[in-house]
Amino acid sequence: MASKSSIEKDRSIIRELVLDARQTNVALAAKVGLSEGSVRRRVDRLVTEGQLHFAAIPSAPLMGRPVHTVFQIQSAPGTTDDLIETLTAMSEMAYVYHVTGQFDIIAVGYFASSEDMRRFSTERLGHLRGVMEIRSVMVLRVAKRAHEWARDIASDDDAADEPVTSTT
């Protein structure tokens, strides 16, 4: 298990990369107070372990899919895994989550028009084996993207690193 100091060094590298993923290892090393070699090894390790991913994230409207929709899907017992596999293979789906609660799956899709979204929902999604119920919500505005939370990751005194204690 990595030490608290080592975890904080990784976090400081990640914070800087979130702000500017295109910066050089030399520039990054100067900002976080480590050598270029140390930064390079840490980044390589984080990528290899699946803890850090690099990706170009285009604007959906720029790519011709301005209609952003969240689907809540309730699946029939025993069909959730197959349904998730089917959804992940669909080009319209950007994210597919297996979740708890009333619905079993949350899927996020991007469409060229509201008519394309309607056809997808009624003609394709609604006919998939295992789908019991679908609710859809069209996103009007994205106030924060998933990757942006990382700008706020805390330092060593992060509450997530502290032991949980009960006051009852």
Side-chain angles (χ1 to χ4, degrees):
M1 182 173 184
S3 71
K4 200 169 189 176
S5 172
S6 181
I7 291 169
E8 184 49 37
K9 287 175 186 174
D10 289 348
R11 287 179 178 176
S12 66
I13 290 169
I14 292 168
R15 273 194 291 274
E16 290 299 327
L17 287 170
V18 168
L19 295 173
D20 180 8
R22 296 177 58 171
Q23 64 186 298
T24 66
N25 286 339
V26 171
L28 186 55
K31 291 176 182 174
V32 299
L34 297 170
S35 70
E36 182 274 338
S38 178
V39 166
R40 183 175 18 84
R41 284 187 299 277
R42 285 175 176 278
V43 169
D44 287 347
R45 177 182 48 77
L46 289 166
V47 169
T48 299
E49 292 175 353
Q51 300 297 316
L52 178 65
H53 304 275
F54 289 94
I57 303 171
S59 160
L62 178 66
M63 301 306 289
R65 294 200 176 183
V67 179
H68 181 177
T69 306
V70 177
F71 297 96
Q72 300 170 315
I73 303 165
Q74 185 178 44
S75 58
T79 65
T80 305
D81 289 340
D82 289 341
L83 193 50
I84 287 172
E85 189 174 319
T86 300
L87 291 166
T88 60
M90 294 178 158
S91 64
E92 296 87 353
M93 295 293 101
Y95 306 97
V96 178
Y97 305 104
H98 187 183
V99 299
T100 62
Q102 178 183 355
F103 295 94
D104 304 301
I105 301 167
I106 301 292
V108 179
Y110 294 92
F111 303 88
S113 69
S114 57
E115 177 59 20
D116 285 347
M117 188 280 294
R118 185 198 64 75
R119 271 197 313 272
F120 173 83
S121 181
T122 59
E123 296 172 11
R124 290 185 61 205
L125 188 57
H127 292 287
L128 292 177
R129 184 177 95 54
V131 171
M132 292 183 62
E133 181 180 351
I134 302 168
R135 291 191 187 169
S136 62
V137 178
M138 290 178 67
V139 175
L140 299 177
R141 176 176 67 97
V142 176
K144 185 174 184 177
R145 289 268 178 217
H147 63 280
E148 292 171 351
W149 68 267
R151 291 184 179 142
D152 302 325
I153 60 175
S155 61
D156 284 339
D157 58 356
D158 184 315
D161 290 340
E162 298 299 319
V164 176
T165 57
S166 175
T167 58
T168 58

